[in-house]
Amino acid sequence: MLTVPQAERLSGLAVDHFIRQGRRTTVGGGIVVHEDGRQNPLTSLAHRCHDIAEEHWPAVVEEYFRRLDSVGRGGEDAEGLLRNTYLRLLPDDALADIADGFRYVRPVSEGLLAALALDAPETVRILGDADVASAGAEELWAAGRANVLAEAVEYEAMNGPSGAALHSVYGDSHFVAAKALVLPELVRELTGRELPENGALVVVPTRHLLAFHPIVDGTVVDAVNELGAYALRAYQDGPGSLSPRLYWWHQGRLVCLTAFDHETRSMSVVPPQELMDLMKRLRGGQSVKEESPFAVALAGAYDACAADPDAERSETWRAWVAAMQAGSALFEGGAAQPYADARAWLDAFWLALVCREGERLTRLSQVPLEDLRRVTPDTDDYLFHWIDTLQTYCLRRPTDELVPKLLATMKTSSPDVATRTDKYFLDLVDYPPVAVFHRVVTNEHEAFAQQLSDVLRYHETYWSGSTDDPRSRVALGPLAIACLAHDARFPVDTGSPYLPKYLLNGAWYGEFPT
């Protein structure tokens, strides 16, 4: 949520607050501990400060701890606890540094814990072991369940782009996501129907939001992709981010469908065989295609620009960085991972250019062409000549190596030669970045400006009938080449709606570690 210097400043402000009150404190791991042993995690405070100018942080910190103090920090009687306690979902690392005081907390699924929280007039406090012992664990869990069931929420039923039924539950309450723990009752209340025997797909991206898809027909295949993308975007947007994972409510429990590779920082949806067989059966025996986590992240980056066309918000930059990281991760160690084909490589390269990621560009340029050819066997040769050209340029090979490869790209991208590629797509989408790149290489400023203008017009023409497609919102390849030209001091017009201004000029570069 914060850069290292920001985190250090926030910790310092918290310590200063307690020192002014005459309390001796220690700080570590994002927690402030003062002399009576009370522990104050700074996670929620960091969430609040994330989008607030640092000059206002001192006042925010003072108000935050004033509200915490007003809760009483324990000591409520059993009746008060039972009346105001709710189930609360937490990320599974939320209490990592203070777990000894919260031994009653229960694991729900990968990435999620169930805890009990006291809803006080001005703030919400996670109950500790002492609170639970004073009122009784079973009594509090039962009270928390009943209170969550009664909590008012907003509800909307809709259809996703594919037509799959999606149900969104949201509100200001900190306990909306916890309704996933009582999903059968929630579905019955909101839809008037019982939860299907096959269960439902569920996401809880923030504490204020959950969404689900009852599994009744073959649209579950589309819902896997759409809910997965929805969860990732909402988790990145916050506030109160909880989990980007996709879950399956089945036989009374949540089964995690999302796998993380922490080494490569990649994420993928991996349904268990039971769910795969179910989806295939509901789809009428058709094979089930899993969505690439990179494709999901890239769609999230495009969608962020729908609400923020100039990309002037930090959340939009984070979405683009997340897509860049997911794309680059596909090719760590070569093109051995699923989905690591030539098209994905090109998108990953464009994103690394937009994000000015020099080291990642170098690593992408070292991916062997034969690997990409092997996993993309039915593609026209021009695509591989184009990748070869970009790799050669990025690795700063001599001009006499670069030029023949660029000429080979141009020659093989003729519609008469590239017969496997749709001519309309080739002319209006795939070839235009080659033409713009040619003007950058030859250092022709005026010709570049005219070529870029033409290319953006081609982009608009191609996507004119598909304005709801996320790819229509940003001309990714031309944007990447325009970023390259901008950094080489070419005059670049920043007024196009297809070239987000603050991505083009690199204004967010270096804002946080990537």
Side-chain angles (χ1 to χ4, degrees):
M1 290 171 285
L2 304 177
T3 64
V4 171
Q6 286 176 326
E8 291 174 348
R9 180 168 186 239
L10 184 62
S11 297
L13 289 171
V15 169
D16 290 345
H17 166 82
F18 289 112
I19 289 176
R20 284 194 298 273
Q21 293 187 338
R23 300 177 179 178
R24 290 185 301 171
T25 65
T26 58
V27 62
I31 296 172
V32 175
V33 182
H34 50 81
E35 80 286 346
D36 61 2
R38 290 177 182 167
Q39 298 172 322
N40 300 273
L42 301 181
T43 307
S44 295
L45 184 55
H47 270 295
R48 296 188 187 194
C49 290
H50 173 255
D51 293 317
I52 297 174
E54 289 191 42
E55 63 199 66
H56 301 305
W57 283 14
V60 172
V61 169
E62 292 298 319
E63 175 64 12
Y64 175 79
F65 285 114
R66 185 192 68 76
R67 290 192 174 195
L68 279 184
D69 288 340
S70 73
V71 179
R73 308 295 288 167
E76 295 84 4
D77 61 25
E79 182 181 351
L81 288 173
L82 291 169
R83 183 172 57 252
N84 297 307
T85 290
Y86 292 73
L87 301 183
R88 173 81 181 270
L89 282 179
L90 298 173
D92 61 2
D93 59 353
L95 304 173
D97 296 312
I98 50 175
D100 287 346
F102 299 87
R103 295 183 182 276
Y104 77 91
V105 170
R106 300 173 177 176
V108 174
S109 188
E110 187 174 350
L112 292 176
L113 298 174
L116 298 168
L118 180 68
D119 188 19
E122 292 191 86
T123 190
V124 174
R125 176 171 69 85
I126 305 301
L127 298 184
D129 288 335
D131 300 302
V132 174
S134 70
E138 293 307 314
E139 292 83 353
L140 277 173
W141 282 111
R145 190 177 193 279
N147 288 334
V148 159
L149 278 170
E151 187 75 347
V153 294
E154 299 289 332
Y155 166 65
E156 182 179 0
M158 67 195 83
N159 291 323
S162 68
L166 305 178
H167 301 261
S168 176
V169 183
Y170 56 95
D172 293 333
S173 167
H174 283 53
F175 313 113
V176 175
K179 284 182 175 282
L181 299 171
V182 291
L183 192 66
E185 292 92 336
L186 178 68
V187 171
R188 186 183 308 121
E189 175 191 352
L190 297 179
T191 69
R193 301 176 181 176
E194 296 296 323
L195 190 68
E197 181 180 355
N198 295 325
L201 300 176
V202 184
V203 295
V204 284
T206 80
R207 66 193 178 209
H208 304 292
L209 173 66
L210 75 86
F212 63 89
H213 167 80
I215 301 175
V216 294
D217 56 31
T219 61
V220 62
V221 177
D222 303 301
V224 165
N225 299 330
E226 290 166 12
L227 270 182
Y230 175 75
L232 181 61
R233 293 194 298 272
Y235 174 81
Q236 291 169 340
D237 290 343
S241 297
L242 185 55
S243 174
R245 295 172 173 85
L246 177 66
Y247 297 93
W248 177 29
W249 176 277
H250 183 56
Q251 297 180 348
R253 64 191 185 97
L254 285 174
V255 179
C256 182
L257 306 183
T258 302
F260 280 97
D261 185 329
H262 294 285
E263 184 174 338
T264 62
R265 303 179 70 180
S266 62
M267 182 175 73
S268 58
V269 175
V270 185
Q273 191 60 48
E274 182 179 4
L275 181 57
M276 289 291 289
D277 292 342
L278 172 62
M279 291 193 297
K280 186 175 181 179
R281 186 169 68 252
L282 291 174
R283 197 72 160 186
Q286 298 177 15
S287 61
V288 177
K289 179 182 179 182
E290 298 174 30
E291 185 75 4
S292 158
F294 175 36
V296 171
L298 182 54
Y302 286 135
D303 285 347
C305 287
D308 180 22
D310 285 339
E312 61 181 329
R313 302 173 189 166
S314 63
E315 292 85 354
T316 304
W317 176 243
R318 288 177 182 276
W320 279 76
V321 167
M324 178 275 298
Q325 291 170 331
S328 298
L330 275 180
F331 298 95
E332 293 294 332
Q337 297 193 52
Y339 314 111
D341 58 21
R343 288 287 174 192
W345 184 96
L346 195 58
D347 284 341
F349 189 86
W350 296 147
L351 288 164
L353 269 179
V354 172
C355 294
R356 276 73 170 184
E357 289 284 322
E359 290 187 11
R360 284 186 168 93
L361 285 167
T362 299
R363 292 201 296 271
L364 285 168
S365 297
Q366 293 168 341
V367 174
L369 276 177
E370 55 267 28
D371 285 357
L372 297 174
R373 285 184 179 275
R374 185 170 59 254
V375 297
T376 324
D378 298 322
T379 300
D380 285 306
D381 280 345
Y382 79 88
L383 183 60
F384 301 104
H385 286 297
W386 182 213
I387 291 173
D388 192 16
T389 301
L390 294 171
Q391 289 185 333
T392 300
Y393 178 83
C394 185
L395 294 175
R396 302 188 180 186
R397 302 300 190 207
T399 303
D400 58 1
E401 284 188 34
L402 176 68
V403 171
K405 294 178 179 181
L406 179 57
L407 292 174
T409 303
M410 294 176 171
K411 181 178 179 180
T412 56
S413 58
S414 165
D416 296 334
V417 179
T419 56
R420 295 177 175 179
T421 305
D422 176 74
K423 181 181 183 300
Y424 197 49
F425 176 79
L426 179 62
D427 287 345
L428 298 183
V429 176
D430 234 18
Y431 180 75
V434 179
V436 180
F437 178 76
H438 172 228
R439 302 304 183 184
V440 174
V441 170
T442 55
N443 200 34
E444 298 175 83
H445 287 206
E446 291 185 8
F448 165 83
Q450 182 58 55
Q451 192 79 64
L452 182 61
S453 177
D454 292 342
V455 163
L456 296 175
R457 190 172 69 253
Y458 301 155
H459 175 87
E460 183 175 34
T461 299
Y462 183 83
W463 294 106
S464 59
S466 306
T467 54
D468 58 340
D469 191 303
R471 292 170 293 177
S472 69
R473 294 164 186 154
V474 178
L476 180 57
L479 170 63
I481 303 299
C483 289
L484 186 67
H486 173 275
D487 295 351
R489 301 189 181 280
F490 278 60
V492 183
D493 182 5
T494 60
S496 170
Y498 305 115
L499 303 179
K501 177 180 177 181
Y502 293 96
L503 296 179
L504 176 57
N505 65 21
W508 283 108
Y509 175 72
E511 182 67 18
F512 55 83
T514 60

